[in-house]
Amino acid sequence: MKRLVVFASGSGSNFQAIIDSIENGAVSATCVGLICDREGIGAIERAQQNRIPVHVIRRKDFEDYTNYALALTAALMHLNPDLIVLAGYLNKIPSMVVENWRNRIINIHPALLPKYGGKGFFGIRVHEAVIKSGDTESGCTVHYVDEVYDNGDIIAQSRVPVLDGDTPEALQRRVLEQEHALLPTVIEQLLNKSDTNGRP
Ligand code: GRF
């Protein structure tokens, strides 16, 4: 059975979509761990409800960045994932980790990269920027993770219209709905379908 590790920093609705897709058989894998950068988030509650081990690994708990990166590396070596999924995770992945799991780390971003991506483009800010730009469509992107925020090769995208009068919150909801469909689909393709150029 293929092994998934999810990283999250927030409510975890994308994480829940993965859990549900494993439950209903759409994704043939087991989620062996959740790694978070903070306590008290919805993603941790969802992990606990589904008996998924939680590892809270915070930069501030380590004397320096190298020890923090080593702690992430050690946790991942223990969990031994076939695929690592960033589902609303707000920190850059240390290059030590990218190196060890290159092309086996993916991220979901709530916009059509390469637009509206990079440092500082997260959460509602993304949708505010899209609306301010006057773009008539938005969407979400699943991409490989490398050493630069939101920069790795794009794997798949899903598009939604930006409607007249859209608030950032309304657009966020419309995009999030697509995220919950796209992410599990990509995970299954990468893990279990030989007919894609999936790299894991
Ligand atoms: C999602 O919009 C995702 O695209 C972005 O952060 C948000 C996480 O939401 N990276 P959730 O925690 O999965 O509900």
Side-chain angles (χ1 to χ4, degrees):
M1 180 67 89
K2 298 289 186 175
R3 299 165 63 88
L4 278 183
V5 168
V6 176
F7 281 59
S9 301
S11 68
S13 72
N14 274 293
F15 176 40
Q16 187 65 54
I18 295 168
I19 292 169
D20 295 346
S21 298
I22 291 172
E23 190 71 29
N24 69 28
V27 170
S28 178
T30 176
C31 185
V32 295
L34 175 74
I35 294 181
C36 302
D37 57 345
R38 63 200 77 190
E39 302 274 4
I41 55 174
I44 291 179
E45 288 169 35
R46 297 175 196 270
Q48 290 167 338
Q49 286 158 11
N50 292 276
R51 292 184 298 284
I52 295 170
V54 178
H55 300 253
V56 179
I57 301 178
R58 294 175 298 205
R59 167 67 188 84
K60 68 179 181 180
D61 292 339
F62 298 88
E63 61 195 78
D64 57 37
Y65 188 80
T66 301
N67 280 292
Y68 162 68
L70 283 168
L72 277 175
T73 302
L76 286 167
M77 289 178 85
H78 166 68
L79 292 166
N80 188 28
D82 295 290
L83 186 64
I84 299 167
V85 183
L86 309 189
Y89 187 68
L90 295 178
N91 299 291
K92 201 144 76 74
I93 299 297
S95 54
M96 179 192 297
V97 173
V98 173
E99 273 307 308
N100 278 297
W101 284 275
R102 193 173 295 281
N103 295 326
R104 288 185 290 157
I105 312 174
I106 64 173
N107 179 49
I108 180 132
H109 182 75
L112 296 175
L113 293 176
K115 295 176 79 172
Y116 312 110
K119 194 164 174 55
F121 272 107
F122 60 89
I124 200 73
R125 298 179 186 185
V126 174
H127 308 291
E128 286 167 350
V130 170
I131 289 173
K132 189 173 179 202
S133 74
D135 283 0
T136 56
E137 73 171 5
S138 188
C140 51
T141 303
V142 180
H143 64 94
Y144 286 107
V145 170
D146 62 15
E147 288 82 353
V148 179
Y149 269 119
D150 300 330
N151 176 66
D153 290 350
I154 291 174
I155 301 168
Q157 295 185 309
S158 185
R159 295 168 186 274
V160 299
V162 179
L163 303 175
D164 287 345
D166 258 344
T167 61
E169 290 73 15
L171 180 56
Q172 182 175 47
R173 281 192 297 275
R174 195 174 306 126
V175 171
L176 198 57
E177 197 178 329
Q178 292 303 313
E179 294 178 48
H180 295 164
L182 184 66
L183 187 55
T185 301
V186 170
I187 291 170
E188 175 62 10
Q189 280 173 350
L190 292 180
L191 285 180
N192 299 306
K193 299 284 188 297
S194 56
D195 58 349
T196 65
N197 65 353
R199 298 174 198 173

